[in-house]
C-alpha cells in the first residue's frame, strides 16, 4: 500500500496555496517541500524547506520533485498551462500522486467543460490522464470545492457587499456548494492520507451550500446600518455577453470571470454537489454563525 509522506507544494505563496500550506504544516503528517519559481519574490514560513526551480525545464523540476510521494499544484491562472511540465517531471521523479490546480467548479460536468475559462485546466487533466493510460506510474486526484467561501466574500465574488449593490444571479435563490480555504486545505490532507479511496478521481467537498439571498440576509444581520441595493442579473445574459466579447478577441479577466459566475450560479452547471467526500476527507460543515463571522470581518 502506498503511503504519502513527502509532499511538494507548487504555488504555495498564492491566495489558495498559502492557506493550504498552513493546514498541511499544522497537520504534522508530512515532510513538506515548497517548490517556487526561480526569481519569485514569494516568502514562506522559516521552518519550511524551499526549493527553487525553472518551470520551463523538465530536468530542474524533476530534480525538485525527487524523493517526493505527492505533488500538490496550486498555481494560479498564469501557471495553469505549464502544469504539463510539472506532470512530466513528477512522473520522471517517481511521484505517486499529483493534485493539479483545480479547486473550483466541477469540470466533469459537460456544460462546465464547454466554458472557455476552464480550457487550461481541462488540457492539464487530458495530459495527466493520457500519460497514465500510456503506462505512467502516477495517480491523480481533482479537488472540487466550488467557490471559496471566505475568499469569495472578501473579494466580493460570491456576494459583492462592499459596494452595497450585490449582483444576484437568477433571483439569488439558487443553492451552490462553497468551501472555506482552510477546509480546502483539510481536503488536501484528507486526500493525501486516503491514497486508495481518492485514486484517479475527483473528490467533492463543501463547507456548506448557501444561496446569494441567504448570504445577503446574513450580511444585513451583521451590518444592519448598511444599505444594500441588489442588482438582478441572469447567467444566460452573462454567458451571452462573455461569448460575444470573447468572439471579438477580448480575453480579459471580466470576460473569464463571467463564465465562472455561470458555473456557480446557473442550475445547469452542477454547482451544488450531490455526492460529497466530506466525511472521508474530514471536511467540516460551516454554520450560519461562521458565515456571519466572515461577513462581519468583510463589512467592518
Ligand atoms: N474556487 C474559487 O473560488 C477559486 C478562487 C480563486 C482561485 N481558484 C483556483 O485556485 C488555484 C490557485 O489560484 P490562486 O488565485 O491562489 O493563484 P495565485 O495566487 O494567482 O498564484 C499562486 C502561485 O502560483 C505561482 N505562479 C504565479 N505565476 C506563475 C507562473 N507563470 N507559472 C507557474 N506558477 C506561477 C506563484 O507561486 P511562486 O511565486 O511561489 O512560484 C503564485 O503564488 C487556481 O486553480 C484557481 O483557479 C479558485
Amino acid at each position: 500500500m502506498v503511503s504519502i509522506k513527502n509532499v511538494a507544494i507548487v504555488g504555495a505563496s498564492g491566495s489558495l496555496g498559502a492557506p493550504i500550506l498552513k493546514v498541511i504544516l499544522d497537520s504534522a503528517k508530512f515532510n513538506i517541500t515548497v517548490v517556487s519559481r526561480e526569481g519569485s519574490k514569494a516568502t514562506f514560513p522559516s521552518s519550511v524547506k524551499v526549493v527553487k526551480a525553472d518551470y520551463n525545464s523538465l530536468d530542474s523540476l524533476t530534480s525538485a520533485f525527487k524523493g517526493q510521494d505527492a505533488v500538490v499544484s496550486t498555481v494560479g491562472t498564469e501557471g495553469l498551462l505549464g502544469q504539463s511540465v510539472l506532470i512530466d517531471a513528477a512522473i520522471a521523479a517517481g511521484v505517486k500522486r499529483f493534485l493539479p490546480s483545480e479547486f473550483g467548479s466541477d469540470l466533469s460536468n459537460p456544460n462546465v467543460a464547454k466554458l472557455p475559462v476552464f480550457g487550461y485546466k481541462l488540457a492539464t487533466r487530458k495530459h495527466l490522464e493520457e500519460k497514465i493510460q500510456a503506462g505512467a506510474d502516477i495517480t491523480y486526484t481533482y479537488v472540487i470545492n466550488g467557490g471559496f467561501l471566505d475568499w469569495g466574500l472578501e473579494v466580493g465574488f460570491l456576494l459583492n457587499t462592499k459596494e452595497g449593490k450585490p449582483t444576484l444571479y437568477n433571483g439569488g435563490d439558487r443553492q451552490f456548494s462553497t468551501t472555506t480555504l482552510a477546509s480546502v486545505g483539510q481536503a488536501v490532507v484528507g486526500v493525501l492520507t486516503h491514497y486508495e479511496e481518492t485514486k484517479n478521481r475527483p473528490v467533492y467537498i463543501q463547507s456548506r451550500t448557501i444561496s446569494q439571498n441567504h448570504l445577503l440576509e446574513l450580511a444585513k444581520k451583521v451590518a444592519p446600518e448598511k444599505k444594500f441595493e441588489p442588482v438582478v442579473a441572469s447567467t444566460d445574459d452573462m454567458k451571452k455577453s462573455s461569448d460575444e466579447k470573447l468572439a471579438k478577441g477580448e480575453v480579459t479577466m471580466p470576460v473569464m470571470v463571467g463564465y465562472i459566475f455561470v458555473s456557480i450560479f446557473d442550475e445547469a452547471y452542477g454547482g451544488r454537489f450531490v455526492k460529497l467526500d466530506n466525511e472521508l476527507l474530514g471536511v467540516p460543515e460551516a454554520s450560519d454563525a461562521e458565515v456571519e463571522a466572515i461577513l462581519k470581518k468583510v463589512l467592518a
Side-chain angles (χ1 to χ4, degrees), residues 63-144:
S63 112
F65 292 159
K66 265 266 156 353
Q68 300 298 330
D69 302 314
V71 171
V72 179
S73 168
T74 62
V75 295
T77 309
E78 294 86 4
L80 289 178
L81 206 53
Q83 289 184 111
S84 299
V85 191
L86 298 181
I87 291 163
D88 293 347
I91 293 168
V95 169
K96 294 290 171 245
R97 174 64 50 90
F98 191 91
L99 278 67
S101 193
E102 287 255 338
F103 305 109
S105 301
D106 179 14
L107 304 193
S108 304
N109 177 298
N111 289 332
V112 175
K114 282 185 211 138
L115 295 173
V117 68
F118 299 119
Y120 289 172
K121 289 190 178 180
L122 277 176
T124 301
R125 277 189 178 202
K126 189 165 177 278
H127 186 80
L128 190 46
E129 291 175 25
E130 281 178 358
K131 288 283 173 183
I132 292 169
Q133 262 166 18
D137 186 18
I138 196 165
T139 59
Y140 64 82
T141 309
Y142 306 139
V143 177
I144 311 300

Side-chain angles (χ1 to χ4, degrees), residues 19 24 35 59 84 114 119 128 130 138 170 175 181 197 201 205 228 237 239 256 272 281 287 300:
I24 299 190
V35 178
D59 285 350
S84 299
K114 282 185 211 138
L128 190 46
E130 281 178 358
I138 196 165
N170 304 341
Q175 293 280 326
L181 292 167
E197 300 94 319
R201 72 173 182 96
I205 54 145
F228 291 104
D237 290 346
K239 180 165 182 307
M256 291 302 165
R272 180 185 187 170
L281 305 177
S287 62

Side-chain angles (χ1 to χ4, degrees), residues 11 26 43 52 67 70 128 154 162 171 177 186 220 226 235 243 247 286 288:
D26 289 351
T43 55
K52 294 281 181 186
L128 190 46
E154 275 152 28
K162 281 203 174 129
S177 297
Q186 172 53 42
K220 285 177 179 168
K226 204 167 160 79
T235 47
D243 284 343
D288 271 7

